[in-house]
Amino acid sequence: MRVMVFGTYDTTVHPRVGILSEGLQRQGVDVVVCNAPLRPTDVPSRDRRPRGRPAHAARLAELAVRARRLPKPDVILCGYQGRVDIQAARRLFPRTPLVLDHLESVDDVADRVGQAPRAALRWAMRVERAALRAADLVLVDTEEHRRVLPPDRRERTIVVPIGAAPQWFDAGRHVGAGPAGPDAGARDAPLRVVAFGLFSPVQGAPVIGGALRQLDGYPIAVTMIGRGLQLQRTRDLVGQDPRVRWQADVPAADLPRLVAGHDVCLGVFGTGAKALRVVPNKVFQGAAAGCAVVTSDTAPQHRLLGGAARLVPAGNPDALADTLRRLTAHPAEVGRLRAAAAELARERFTAQAVVEPLVERLERMVGKSVGG
């Protein structure tokens, strides 16, 4: 079976498509890549008007040229935010089954980057509905996301967890993370905590800021990585604390090893609709890197992580502060959580593991076995 991974996705910014490609190959699927990434200036933000549709059209024209030179696929997988890409794929391959990786709705994207103008949102929602109709199979990352799709699309939708790319597992092995990780059991060492992301409402970074504000005098060293809508509010909550280091940007290639050098990786703590439906990249990545994971106690995260993480009520800085206090006093528990997260990641978060339901569905869809 041959799968073409098609679209304007950028794996350096959003690793999901790379994980799917890696997993399919490790499952024995013949994967061909047809990718023309949108440049950063093509993508909307609150502070920059995008070049928009003309820029996207130029990337789609590149894809059309490349696709015609590649072997004919049995299936086309349109990568993250492929709502426009899937229509181009349909025109190029009118009889080939199409798969849409639908991690975020238009509403979710607007929440993450700042609300777009109403006219732009209406246009994007029409594009999204058309993309869902065009897809023969839709991928989402949690059952909660599947339930919010239109009823007529749910039977054509399967859950494929986000997972973690191989470099996150490599980083964990490199620093010796796990039950015998660095400084395990050392009571005089500060608890090393890392949080990274876009400082969006989903992340709930002000909850982290409110928790850190309560930890004066406790042995903790925190790295806060990223920039976004709620960065300044979070910094104001933390105040002038020399134990907290702020980094606006970390190259994607360096992030896994940086995270793996910490004891605890913080997940998401927002209370909005998306925050309650998601298991974020950082939870999979932190576990793969061998960190103890602390995140919100939502239905999908509870179901996935169970006892392999410390879960706190969403939106509750007091509960998060209490959890971090306890971890500073119990290094053996930190070691246990690190080991549990790493084991769970090895069993369920690898690229090969997360694509298993996708491979099974594709074989039924196209009537070919892997390798056939």
Side-chain angles (χ1 to χ4, degrees):
M1 177 169 55
R2 178 178 297 125
V3 174
M4 177 183 288
V5 184
F6 178 95
T8 57
Y9 58 85
D10 183 349
T11 56
T12 65
V13 180
H14 302 291
R16 161 74 162 192
V17 192
I19 294 170
L20 294 176
S21 297
E22 174 82 14
L24 289 170
Q25 290 180 72
R26 294 195 177 196
Q27 289 278 3
V29 176
D30 180 13
V31 174
V32 294
V33 174
C34 188
N35 178 218
L38 284 170
R39 301 184 181 101
T41 52
D42 299 335
V43 180
S45 76
R46 295 185 78 203
D47 306 316
R48 181 182 67 247
R49 185 172 182 174
R51 284 158 43 196
R53 293 177 221 177
H56 206 150
R59 303 291 89 74
L60 293 175
E62 292 179 38
L63 287 173
V65 172
R66 295 179 188 182
R68 293 186 181 102
R69 296 172 178 168
L70 291 170
K72 184 178 178 182
D74 298 302
V75 177
I76 296 174
L77 169 59
C78 293
Y80 174 76
Q81 294 200 19
R83 289 178 286 270
V84 175
D85 301 347
I86 196 170
Q87 304 299 347
R90 175 56 73 211
R91 289 191 294 272
L92 287 166
F93 300 96
R95 289 178 291 278
T96 303
L98 301 181
V99 180
L100 177 67
D101 188 29
H102 186 62
L103 287 190
E104 284 187 306
S105 70
V106 167
D107 285 336
D108 290 336
V109 176
D111 177 63
R112 175 167 54 78
V113 303
Q115 290 294 323
R118 288 180 180 270
L121 281 175
R122 286 196 295 269
W123 175 82
M125 286 176 179
R126 288 196 297 272
V127 171
E128 179 174 282
R129 288 193 291 269
L132 291 171
R133 288 194 299 269
D136 298 284
L137 180 65
V138 177
L139 310 184
V140 294
D141 58 323
T142 67
E143 177 60 26
E144 285 72 14
H145 274 147
R146 192 184 74 84
R147 291 174 190 160
V148 299
L149 290 177
D152 62 338
R153 294 289 92 189
R154 292 175 198 165
E155 289 187 4
R156 295 188 179 187
T157 301
I158 61 171
V159 175
V160 177
I162 291 174
Q167 55 264 36
W168 289 89
F169 293 92
D170 295 341
R173 286 190 291 268
H174 178 81
V175 301
D183 298 328
R187 289 187 174 275
D188 58 343
L191 182 73
R192 299 164 302 181
V193 178
V194 63
F196 60 97
L198 300 173
F199 284 82
S200 69
V202 171
Q203 185 178 2
V207 176
I208 300 173
L212 297 180
R213 189 179 187 133
Q214 302 179 43
L215 298 178
D216 187 36
Y218 286 85
I220 191 169
V222 182
T223 306
M224 300 287 289
I225 302 169
R227 63 176 78 214
L229 296 174
Q230 297 185 333
L231 172 59
Q232 190 56 53
R233 181 181 171 196
T234 305
R235 294 193 71 144
D236 291 343
L237 284 166
V238 174
Q240 297 298 319
D241 189 335
R243 300 169 305 165
V244 181
R245 178 168 58 118
W246 302 86
Q247 290 186 241
D249 297 297
V250 173
D254 298 337
L255 186 60
R257 188 171 294 189
L258 190 155
V259 171
H262 293 75
D263 303 303
V264 175
C265 179
L266 299 180
V268 294
F269 303 92
T271 58
K274 183 184 178 183
L276 301 180
R277 296 195 303 262
V278 71
V279 181
N281 276 311
K282 56 182 67 69
V283 162
F284 293 98
Q285 293 164 340
C291 297
V293 173
V294 178
T295 191
S296 55
D297 191 5
T298 61
Q301 295 193 105
H302 188 100
R303 186 168 61 244
L304 182 76
L305 299 167
R310 188 62 64 87
L311 305 178
V312 302
N316 190 326
D318 297 339
L320 178 56
D322 185 60
T323 293
L324 293 176
R325 281 192 205 98
R326 292 174 183 272
L327 293 178
T328 64
H330 296 91
E333 175 63 6
V334 176
R336 184 195 73 78
L337 288 168
R338 294 182 71 178
E343 181 179 4
L344 180 66
R346 287 192 297 269
E347 291 178 356
R348 298 177 57 188
F349 298 171
T350 65
Q352 184 172 353
V354 298
V355 301
E356 286 179 357
L358 173 58
V359 171
E360 180 182 346
R361 187 67 168 260
L362 292 181
E363 288 180 338
R364 297 205 310 265
M365 179 185 295
V366 303
K368 288 188 177 182
S369 61
V370 168

